[in-house]
């Protein structure tokens, strides 16, 4: 059925797009949707023609997190194998997205809360609409953050601001998110996808190089990170590969065509 919660997938010119489709519930993630996210990630990993990924959602809100009906079921017996399997499926799909071998962009319309914020933070770059609110949300629901929420916040914000959001319940507006480095930029909803596609054009045009840059970024930047000298060594071999692939003739400047030779 058209109104059944699902994930839509498309690939166009090296850009793979994953769209959450459950707008009636602010695109809450159901268990069937987590399976589809996993299948999408497997496709991106194996299809080396894909150089970038866009993650967005139907309607006017990005994601409200895991479906509350699943959370309610888990609350009855949170240590049961069934409950552990439910939460592991949701967060596991986010980890798969966050560890894709290509650069990823999340388009956050309206906002993201709880595990929905985890999903947005799993992407490498976040674009937000001016009305977006980014909210940890776990404290307000009187549950502990899950899915590596604190780690994801801290990766972009640092300790103080991550604790302000998770342990004090502070939310960030779109403007504040950009100012603090949680989001890349803000733009109207109708412009968000075009901006993302433009951002993805270069990696999509050279997927092999994009995947190698993403791998180096992960090695160098993930905590505890690398020293500058170590980063030089990590990049040396891959840069040599890219230079060899390019070839010396590609650097030769083409002779300028005399103006008189150009037909009027």
């Amino acid at each position: 059925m058209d109104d059944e919660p699902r994930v839509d997938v498309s690939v166009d010119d090296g850009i793979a797009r994953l769209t959450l489709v459950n707008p009636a519930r602010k695109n809450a993630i159901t268990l069937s949707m987590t399976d589809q996210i996993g299948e999408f990630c497997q496709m991106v990993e194996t299809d080396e023609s894909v150089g970038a990924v866009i993650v967005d959602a139907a309607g006017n809100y990005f994601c409200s997190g895991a479906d509350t009906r699943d959370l309610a079921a888990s609350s009855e017996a949170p240590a049961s194998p069934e409950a552990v399997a439910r939460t592991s499926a949701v967060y596991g799909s986010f980890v798969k997205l966050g560890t894709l071998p290509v650069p990823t962009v999340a388009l956050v319309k309206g906002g993201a809360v709880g595990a929905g914020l985890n999903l947005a933070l799993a992407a490498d770059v976040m674009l937000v609409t001016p009305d977006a609110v980014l909210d940890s949300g776990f404290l307000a629901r009187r549950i502990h953050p899950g899915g590596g929420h604190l780690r994801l916040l801290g990766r972009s914000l640092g300790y103080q601001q991550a604790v302000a959001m998770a342990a004090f319940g502070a939310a960030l507006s779109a403007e504040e998110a950009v100012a603090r480095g949680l989001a890349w930029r803000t733009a109207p909803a109708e412009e968000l996808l075009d901006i993302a596609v433009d951002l993805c054009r270069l990696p999509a045009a050279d997927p092999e190089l994009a995947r190698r840059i993403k791998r180096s970024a992960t090695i160098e930047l993930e905590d505890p990170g690398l020293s500058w000298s170590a980063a030089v060594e990590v990049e040396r071999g891959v840069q040599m590969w890219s230079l060899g692939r390019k070839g010396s003739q590609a650097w030769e400047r083409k002779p300028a065509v005399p103006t008189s030779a150009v037909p009027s």
Side-chain angles (χ1 to χ4, degrees):
M1 295 177 61
D2 289 342
D3 58 351
E4 192 74 19
R6 67 182 190 278
V7 168
D8 285 347
V9 170
S10 64
V11 180
D12 186 23
D13 290 334
I15 303 173
R17 182 180 173 191
L18 180 149
T19 304
L20 307 178
V21 185
N22 190 12
R25 298 184 66 84
K26 289 189 172 181
N27 293 307
I29 306 290
T30 65
L31 291 178
S32 63
M33 291 169 72
T34 66
D35 291 338
Q36 295 168 47
I37 293 172
E39 293 168 2
F40 171 83
C41 291
Q42 181 64 29
M43 179 273 293
V44 172
E45 288 175 1
T46 56
D47 185 351
E48 296 187 354
S49 70
V50 174
V53 162
I54 294 172
V55 181
D56 64 356
N60 57 11
Y61 195 87
F62 178 68
C63 183
S64 59
D67 193 304
T68 53
R69 292 169 294 191
D70 291 328
L71 293 173
S74 296
S75 294
E76 292 181 5
S80 68
E82 294 79 12
V84 172
R86 283 190 207 99
T87 55
S88 296
V90 174
Y91 292 135
S93 67
F94 295 177
V95 171
K96 290 176 183 177
L97 185 71
T99 54
L100 283 176
V102 300
T104 55
V105 186
L107 312 187
V108 178
K109 294 181 292 184
V113 64
L117 182 55
N118 281 7
L119 179 60
L121 291 170
D124 299 309
V125 172
M126 190 192 308
L127 306 178
V128 295
T129 54
D131 64 337
V133 175
L134 304 179
D135 186 6
S136 171
F138 289 98
L139 179 66
R141 289 162 179 76
R142 300 183 66 187
I143 59 174
H144 191 282
H149 184 70
L150 291 161
R151 175 66 181 85
L152 289 169
L153 285 173
R155 182 171 65 175
S156 296
L157 293 174
Y159 179 87
Q160 178 173 246
Q161 295 185 74
V163 169
M165 291 188 71
F168 287 92
L172 294 181
S173 67
E175 183 179 356
E176 290 170 331
V178 172
R180 286 169 168 77
L182 194 66
W184 173 249
R185 63 174 289 187
T186 181
E190 63 271 17
E191 299 177 13
L192 223 53
L193 181 59
D194 287 341
I195 292 171
V197 170
D198 285 343
L199 197 60
C200 291
R201 288 194 194 283
L202 280 178
D206 196 342
E208 187 177 17
L209 180 58
R211 288 170 180 249
R212 288 179 179 251
I213 293 173
K214 174 67 181 285
R215 186 184 309 148
S216 294
T218 302
I219 293 171
E220 294 181 40
L221 301 178
E222 286 289 353
D223 286 343
L226 297 180
S227 66
W228 189 355
S229 58
V232 169
E233 297 307 317
V234 167
E235 293 178 4
R236 186 191 309 278
V238 189
Q239 189 178 62
M240 293 303 102
W241 161 82
S242 67
L243 288 170
R245 187 188 65 157
K246 186 179 179 76
S248 60
Q249 293 184 348
W251 294 98
E252 295 178 3
R253 297 183 63 181
K254 300 290 190 297
V257 178
T259 305
S260 60
V262 178
S264 58

